[in-house]
Amino acid sequence: MSIRLAVARHSGLSEDEVATVQRRGESGLDARTDVALRLADRFLSRPADIDDELRAEVFGHFTPAEVVELLCDIAKWSTQKAHVTLRVDDDLSRDGEPIFFDFDDDGEVAWMAPELR
């Protein structure tokens, strides 16, 4: 992962937390977060494998409106998947350090200067 959303970083997301998500099977994440991440994995990689068991877990932790919002967010943030798969995505890091971005009041991407990270 070469990009970190500045909002998450400014909200306190640490590299240790990123590593926890990446190895979540052994990380001890809370059940709600774990089921949301498993839903995201299946939705993006094997949507046909979203079975009744996962559905029950999802709806055990989220309201129908939250599930819709979650799936819309997953779809929105996964648009780069094709670029990554084809290896035509831009490297958005400098000297191995990720470049952060945020959104301005108009919803436009605002790149963060290193001193603001």
Side-chain angles (χ1 to χ4, degrees):
M1 199 182 299
S2 62
I3 300 175
R4 305 282 192 263
L5 186 62
V7 173
R9 187 75 175 271
H10 288 281
S11 296
L13 180 71
S14 70
E15 291 301 316
D16 287 340
E17 290 168 316
V18 171
T20 296
V21 169
Q22 290 173 333
R23 58 174 204 284
R24 69 181 171 274
E26 64 213 46
S27 68
L29 288 172
D30 65 86
R32 182 177 162 95
T33 301
D34 183 68
V35 76
L37 291 170
R38 285 189 290 120
L39 175 63
D41 283 346
R42 296 241 185 112
F43 182 77
L44 293 173
S45 62
R46 300 177 321 276
D49 289 348
I50 298 175
D51 56 16
D52 290 339
E53 182 180 334
L54 181 56
R55 277 188 200 89
E57 285 186 77
V58 168
F59 284 107
H61 291 281
F62 297 94
T63 66
E66 289 173 325
V67 173
V68 169
E69 182 177 358
L70 191 58
L71 292 173
C72 286
D73 280 344
I74 293 166
K76 174 179 71 176
W77 287 106
S78 68
T79 57
Q80 82 286 0
K81 251 185 100 117
H83 294 117
V84 171
T85 301
L86 295 171
R87 296 188 177 150
V88 295
D89 58 319
D90 292 329
D91 180 14
L92 296 176
S93 63
R94 290 190 189 119
D95 300 323
E97 289 294 317
I99 297 172
F100 296 94
F101 65 96
D102 200 345
F103 297 96
D104 64 21
D105 292 338
D106 296 323
E108 299 294 322
V109 172
W111 296 100
M112 303 295 288
E115 63 272 8
L116 297 176
R117 295 191 259 155

